[in-house]
């Protein structure tokens, strides 16, 4: 039970060993009611034990009835990930005693899950990779335990609100080889769930939980090494760090002539290490058997097709469409489709802006809009601000017609994020309209040349970069409302002609 | 089908039940008897019969995703030996 944080970073473990990683991911489905009863599924910020009935409390003699939406969501996830959807599925009982499991068993799926196989294409450092899936099955979540100690004794408090919520479990094949790959997989998986609107999959809120099976083997060896299960990771970042630590720990053990023990290790976020929790010498014995209270599910082709018809456009398809429909680069299209909501805001703005403005709208979304949203938080969306797609559309129009300069556009957008006023109104009320009168700009240029003899001398003596300073001076005098290219060419004209 | 003492100990451990040696012997006999009853089923010829998990001719028994009222928290806790701040209270859980 010792902590091994003393990894020798001078040893390049990757030279000798290849890591093999498989993930087990649990995702809470965003249904209204629970998996087998009609209690409200929400447990976040609720009064303890207020969303509980005789079924999710595990009272004897109660009859669980399957939530059709939870099944549809699971099938939808399976279709999105290219799984086979078998015609016949059933639920089973997984038996183990633990206080968070009110019945003493969890209703899960053992040998006939809803989805088999499948894959998810990811990209790591610009390289395409494919992660194959073993299966996706549906089960129920457990109650929530709060560990307490009042000095006299250690005890646990139980809130049954989460008990019986639909939980989808996805198991990958041991297809990943680094923490970065695992992280990329989880990001893409979450994006897919959010596009489907079947889960929020926020790891910090426990809506997505991930365990990693990590083993290493000498490079070139076919047989897998002894695997260690790593738990307790509560962010994508901690998944990556935990796996990276575990790979190096195992490599060090082998390098020192040791043997990897098959065990469960918990990740400690504060120190970045994994710590042995329990040895797996004694294999789990869940004594699965078919759930006698729930008749099997038979999915005919028509049902599967009806579920498929409910599916929205998925991230990869939308990205490809954005590239061709709006002439965006792969990077631009990727940024715009990273979140479903942002991709939809972008398209709403393109529609509102009218024809031909997709590009300036896209550049605003990727640039200034994203900058403002990032200030609000990593996953902030436009809907949390007073700015709407119509604002962005109008601003793109003003820019395109050169009624505002790029500098002013930033200012206008900042005000819109503050007040919610429309861009044209902001420009009107604050006199921010671009100076289109070349004569007026030229007049300022003349004054600035007059006022800055040093820069003029530098320029004329061959230091052409001195023009930048003068452009800046003119822009400042014009309060950013002059077009930088116009300013530059007017200055050049004057400086080169000697006036 | 006779169970071994070790098998009974294993089952008791899985169920978190502490048994004395006398109890283990008693349950070993009883459980072995129950298994013998099921052994009778093995005599049935199931050649060509596909396995089933259900004896009812039912499938797809599902309900719409609708929220209905739950029990009151007071009722949920009514049978609990110990509660605290609206939670059920149990002894410390150790892995």
């Amino acid at each position: 039970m010792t902590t091994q944080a003393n990894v020798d970073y001078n040893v390049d473990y990757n030279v000798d060993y290849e890591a093999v990683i498989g993930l087990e991911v649990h995702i809470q489905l965003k249904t209204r009611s629970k998996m087998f009863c009609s209690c409200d599924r929400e447990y976040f910020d609720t009064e303890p034990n207020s969303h509980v009935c005789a079924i999710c409390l595990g009272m004897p003699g109660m009859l669980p009835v399957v939530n059709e939406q939870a099944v549809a969501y699971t099938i939808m996830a399976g279709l999105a990930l290219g799984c086979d959807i078998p015609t016949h599925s059933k639920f089973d009982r997984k038996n183990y005693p633990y206080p968070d499991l009110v019945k003493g068993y969890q209703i899960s799926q053992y040998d006939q899950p809803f989805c088999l196989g499948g894959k998810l294409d990811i990209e790591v450092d610009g390289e395409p990779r494919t992660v194959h899936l073993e299966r996706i099955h549906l089960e129920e979540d457990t109650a929530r335990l709060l560990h307490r100690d009042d000095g006299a004794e250690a005890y646990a408090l139980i809130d049954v609100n989460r008990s019986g919520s639909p939980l989808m479990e996805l198991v990958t094949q041991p297809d990943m080889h680094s923490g970065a790959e695992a992280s990329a997989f989880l990001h893409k998986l979450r994006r897919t769930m959010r596009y489907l609107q079947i889960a929020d999959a926020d790891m910090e809120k426990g809506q997505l939980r991930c365990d990693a099976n990590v083993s290493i083997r000498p490079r070139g060896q076919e047989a897998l090494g002894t695997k260690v299960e790593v738990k307790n990771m509560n962010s994508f970042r901690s998944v990556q760090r935990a796996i990276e630590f575990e790979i190096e720990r195992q490599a060090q053990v082998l390098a020192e002539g040791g043997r990897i023990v098959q065990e469960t290790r918990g990740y400690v976020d504060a120190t970045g290490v994994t710590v042995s929790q329990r040895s797996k010498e004694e294999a789990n014995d869940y004594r699965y058997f078919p759930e006698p209270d729930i008749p099997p599910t038979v999915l005919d082709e028509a049902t599967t097709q009806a579920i498929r018809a409910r599916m929205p456009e998925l991230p990869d398809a939308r990205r490809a469409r954005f590239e061709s429909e709006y002439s965006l680069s792969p990077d631009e299209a990727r940024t715009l489709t990273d979140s479903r909501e942002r991709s939809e805001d972008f398209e709403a703005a393109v529609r509102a802006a009218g024809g031909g403005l997709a590009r300036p709208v896209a550049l605003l979304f990727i640039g200034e809009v994203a900058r403002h949203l990032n200030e609000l938080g990593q996953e902030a969306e436009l809907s949390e601000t007073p700015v709407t797609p119509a604002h962005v559309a109008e601003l793109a129009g003003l820019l395109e017609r050169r009624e505002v300069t790029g500098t002013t556009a930033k200012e206008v957008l900042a005000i819109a994020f503050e007040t919610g006023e429309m861009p044209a109104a902001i420009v009107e009320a604050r006199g921010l309209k671009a100076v289109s009168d070349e004569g007026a700009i030229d007049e300022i240029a003349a004054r600035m040349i007059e006022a800055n003899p040093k820069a003029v001398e530098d320029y004329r003596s061959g230091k052409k970069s001195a023009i930048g300073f003068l452009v800046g001076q003119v822009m400042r005098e014009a309060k950013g409302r002059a077009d930088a290219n116009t300013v530059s060419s007017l200055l050049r004209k004057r400086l080169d002609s000697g006036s | 089908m006779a169970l071994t003492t070790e098998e009974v100990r294993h089952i008791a451990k899985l169920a978190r039940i502490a048994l004395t040696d006398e109890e283990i012997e008693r349950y070993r006999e009883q459980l072995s008897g129950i298994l013998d009853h099921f052994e009778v089923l093995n005599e049935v010829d199931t050649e060509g019969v596909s396995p089933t998990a259900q004896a009812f001719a039912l499938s797809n028994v599902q309900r719409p995703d609708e929220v209905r009222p739950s029990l009151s928290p007071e009722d949920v806790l009514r049978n609990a030996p110990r509660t605290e701040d609206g939670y059920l209270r149990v002894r410390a859980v150790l892995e």
Side-chain angles (χ1 to χ4, degrees), chain A residues 33 37-38 49 66 153 158 298, chain B residues 60 63 65 68 86 88-89:
Chain A
S33 63
C37 63
S38 299
N49 297 308
V66 172
E153 67 163 337
I158 307 176
V298 181
Chain B
N60 301 346
R63 45 167 253 280
D65 182 23
R68 301 222 186 113
L88 300 149
R89 178 173 167 159

Side-chain angles (χ1 to χ4, degrees), chain A residues 70-352:
Chain A
V71 176
Y73 281 177
T74 306
I75 306 294
M76 213 182 262
L79 291 171
L81 298 172
C83 303
D84 287 330
I85 311 297
T87 317
H88 294 272
S89 310
K90 68 174 171 66
F91 285 96
D92 300 274
R93 289 187 182 181
K94 178 181 181 178
N95 301 279
Y96 65 93
Y98 204 72
D100 66 3
L101 195 61
V102 291
K103 298 189 293 294
Y105 60 86
Q106 178 189 34
I107 303 178
S108 181
Q109 296 190 289
Y110 182 53
D111 55 348
Q112 291 184 271
F114 285 123
C115 314
L116 288 170
K119 67 179 176 70
L120 188 61
D121 294 322
I122 58 169
E123 224 172 75
V124 184
D125 298 330
E127 293 292 315
R129 301 261 311 121
T130 297
V131 177
H132 294 89
L133 309 183
E134 204 77 58
R135 57 186 277 163
I136 306 175
H137 74 251
L138 187 54
E139 58 187 32
E140 57 179 335
D141 211 340
T142 57
R144 219 156 49 92
L145 287 185
L146 306 173
H147 300 280
R148 292 275 189 272
D149 194 329
D150 61 5
E153 67 163 337
Y155 59 98
L157 298 179
I158 307 176
D159 174 11
V160 190
N161 284 353
R162 196 181 65 184
S163 167
S165 297
L167 199 60
M168 195 170 74
E169 179 175 338
L170 179 152
V171 183
T172 77
Q173 288 186 15
D175 255 1
M176 286 158 278
H177 304 284
S178 70
E181 275 184 29
S183 175
F185 173 81
L186 290 174
H187 273 102
K188 181 76 177 282
L189 182 63
R190 179 177 66 179
R191 188 177 311 138
T192 305
M193 295 301 118
R194 288 182 176 178
Y195 264 69
L196 293 172
Q197 290 181 269
I198 64 176
D200 289 331
D202 187 336
M203 254 192 119
E204 277 83 356
K205 287 185 182 161
Q207 295 162 339
L208 185 152
R209 297 165 228 160
C210 173
D211 298 336
N213 287 310
V214 182
S215 65
I216 62 171
R217 62 182 169 194
R219 218 162 266 285
Q221 177 182 306
E222 188 74 23
L224 293 169
T226 305
K227 75 177 175 192
V228 169
E229 188 176 9
V230 184
K231 289 176 175 286
N232 285 351
M233 299 161 292
N234 54 17
S235 68
F236 289 167
R237 196 181 140 72
S238 63
V239 170
Q240 179 164 350
R241 288 180 57 199
I243 289 171
E244 284 167 357
F245 173 85
E246 185 56 25
I247 291 169
E248 290 183 358
R249 185 193 68 85
Q250 292 184 17
Q252 196 182 26
V253 169
L254 294 185
E256 288 167 357
R259 172 179 86 90
I260 306 297
V261 182
Q262 185 172 345
E263 62 180 347
T264 300
R265 297 180 71 89
Y267 179 65
V268 184
D269 210 24
T271 50
V273 303
T274 64
V275 178
S276 180
Q277 286 187 326
R278 78 183 121 97
S279 151
K280 275 224 173 152
E281 302 293 340
E282 191 176 340
N284 285 320
D285 187 349
Y286 293 124
R287 294 149 295 146
Y288 281 99
F289 63 86
E291 167 59 66
D293 287 340
I294 301 175
T297 307
V298 181
L299 279 164
D300 53 25
E301 189 59 25
T303 310
T304 311
Q305 285 310 324
I307 293 170
R308 192 188 290 275
R310 286 165 56 189
M311 287 166 59
E313 185 177 44
L314 292 167
D316 286 347
R318 183 161 294 178
R319 185 172 130 188
R321 181 169 64 78
F322 275 19
E323 280 183 42
S324 60
E325 197 170 327
Y326 304 119
S327 309
L328 300 174
S329 74
D331 269 349
E332 289 166 345
R334 185 185 302 113
T335 306
L336 284 170
T337 53
D338 193 36
S339 112
R340 182 186 59 83
E341 201 172 325
R342 213 172 289 189
S343 73
E344 285 171 5
D345 286 342
F346 162 69
E347 290 211 279
V350 169
R351 281 193 300 275

Side-chain angles (χ1 to χ4, degrees), chain B residues 3-23:
Chain B
L3 283 170
T4 65
T5 308
E6 268 322 298
E7 282 168 330
V8 177
R9 268 188 222 285
H10 179 62
I11 294 164
K13 190 180 175 194
L14 289 172
R16 306 291 192 271
I17 299 170
L19 297 179
T20 63
D21 286 351
E22 294 80 55
E23 285 171 328

Side-chain angles (χ1 to χ4, degrees), chain A residues 31-39 47-52 65-69 90 97-99 146 153-160 278 282 285 287 290-292 294-298, chain B residues 10-11 13-16 52-54 56 58-77 79 82-95:
Chain A
T31 54
R32 285 192 281 269
S33 63
K34 290 190 180 180
M35 185 62 233
F36 299 113
C37 63
S38 299
C39 286
E47 182 191 347
N49 297 308
S50 58
H51 295 171
V52 178
V65 185
V66 172
N67 183 337
E68 63 180 7
Q69 184 77 305
K90 68 174 171 66
Y98 204 72
L146 306 173
E153 67 163 337
Y155 59 98
L157 298 179
I158 307 176
D159 174 11
V160 190
R278 78 183 121 97
E282 191 176 340
D285 187 349
R287 294 149 295 146
E291 167 59 66
I294 301 175
T297 307
V298 181
Chain B
H10 179 62
I11 294 164
K13 190 180 175 194
L14 289 172
R16 306 291 192 271
T52 179
Q54 287 273 343
F56 312 108
L58 288 172
S59 64
N60 301 346
V61 180
Q62 300 182 345
R63 45 167 253 280
D65 182 23
E66 288 166 5
V67 174
R68 301 222 186 113
S70 301
L71 295 171
S72 70
E74 294 71 38
D75 281 341
V76 171
L77 302 179
N79 297 325
R82 271 187 106 172
T83 63
E84 184 176 312
D85 299 336
Y87 295 92
L88 300 149
R89 178 173 167 159
V90 296
R91 280 186 296 173
V93 193
L94 294 172
E95 272 288 338

